[in-house]
Amino acid sequence: MKLTVLYRGPLSSCNYGCEYCPFGKWKHTEEELAKDRADLERFVAWVEARTQDTVSVFFTPWGEALIWPWYQEALARLSHLPHVGRLAIQTNLSCNLDWVAQARADKLGIWATYHPEWTRRHRFVAQCAKLTELGVRHSVGVVGFLRFTDEAEALRAELPADTYLWINAVKDGQEEPYTAEDVARFTRLDPLFPVNNTRHPSLGRACRGGESVISVDGEGTARRCHFIDEPIGNIYAPDFDSALRPRPCAKQTCGCHIGYVHLEYLELDRVFGSGILERVPATPLWK
């Protein structure tokens, strides 16, 4: 089978402190970090053992993972497995990128978020340039708070034309709702912004979640996606594969990219192709 796993271990801390995000305000103990590392090691071993399948992995941590060497090592290690298709991770790109030299860069994908309150634009752009030099496909984005609009436009001007810039629509917590002008301004930067700015009807709709895409936590508990709490099984159980089957969505709407991108009726797999995990469209829609 072809299986995509969204892995989210217990790590829930960040080296940034964005005021709208709770995870930058938490710090892990040594024991908690050791637990995260052990959980990740167990997960990597599980992927290594599934040689009969094609497995892709998207690390979506609550916080920043690439500042920790065990995530760097896991990506490098998994990238050399012939049965691993794609590997991607969400990151603020503050880490040292020397670890990429130990990996197969052609299998790596980076979903990088620019936080203008926590890093300098020139440093972030330099990190992106390094990824390009290393041959790592990546997208970059900005949280769509109105106060970040000028920075998003400046970032677009400094990025290579081949780099996709996405804007994550703020659906809750915005001081004022987007005006038509706001939407138009963000859409000029990201043609897919209107898609992200929508809570898509999903109840009863066909979704790859729970069949060929699953969300897995540090204990191995599998769910159809990050947004439906009901477990479907545990990946470390010997009979886990029997849990993988079509399941219509149980939520009224789906408003997050890593969820709705798998709704079949939206056909966004055709838009993103092999770049679906790192959020890179198959054709340069933004040009």
Side-chain angles (χ1 to χ4, degrees), residues 34-216:
K35 174 68 164 57
D36 182 72
R37 185 171 191 168
D39 286 350
L40 179 61
E41 178 68 25
R42 186 185 186 195
F43 172 72
V44 169
W46 178 82
V47 176
E48 287 177 325
R50 292 190 69 92
T51 55
Q52 75 279 17
D53 302 321
T54 298
V55 183
S56 295
V57 180
F58 184 20
F59 293 96
T60 61
W62 286 128
E64 178 55 39
L66 275 184
I67 57 175
W68 302 109
W70 51 93
Y71 281 94
Q72 300 173 7
E73 293 161 5
L75 285 164
R77 182 170 150 190
L78 290 172
S79 73
H80 292 287
L81 299 178
H83 65 283
V84 167
R86 294 291 297 166
L87 297 164
I89 188 167
Q90 293 176 322
T91 175
N92 61 28
L93 213 52
S94 62
C95 68
N96 188 301
L97 294 173
D98 290 349
W99 63 272
V100 177
Q102 307 304 315
R104 276 194 55 177
D106 61 314
K107 286 191 178 184
L108 296 179
I110 296 290
W111 164 318
T113 304
Y114 172 51
H115 298 282
E117 295 168 314
W118 288 91
T119 189
R120 299 288 186 181
R121 191 187 328 127
H122 69 85
R123 185 186 185 283
F124 183 85
V125 171
Q127 287 286 83
C128 295
K130 182 69 172 177
L131 288 176
T132 299
E133 178 186 330
L134 292 167
V136 178
R137 187 164 62 181
H138 59 283
S139 67
V140 303
V142 179
V143 179
F145 284 109
L146 295 176
R147 63 182 182 274
F148 294 161
T149 308
D150 290 344
E151 271 296 321
E153 291 174 337
L155 179 63
R156 174 69 279 173
E158 293 190 23
L159 289 171
D162 289 339
T163 301
Y164 173 54
L165 172 67
W166 43 263
I167 305 293
N168 259 4
V170 178
K171 301 177 182 70
D172 298 299
Q174 189 84 260
E175 290 183 1
E176 298 179 2
Y178 293 128
T179 66
E181 182 181 348
D182 296 330
V183 171
R185 194 173 175 185
F186 278 142
T187 303
R188 284 193 291 271
L189 296 173
D190 175 9
L192 295 175
F193 178 73
V195 178
N196 188 254
N197 194 35
T198 300
R199 294 188 185 276
H200 301 278
S202 57
L203 184 63
R205 302 273 191 161
C207 180
R208 289 180 289 279
E211 181 181 14
S212 61
V213 181
I214 56 173
S215 167
V216 173

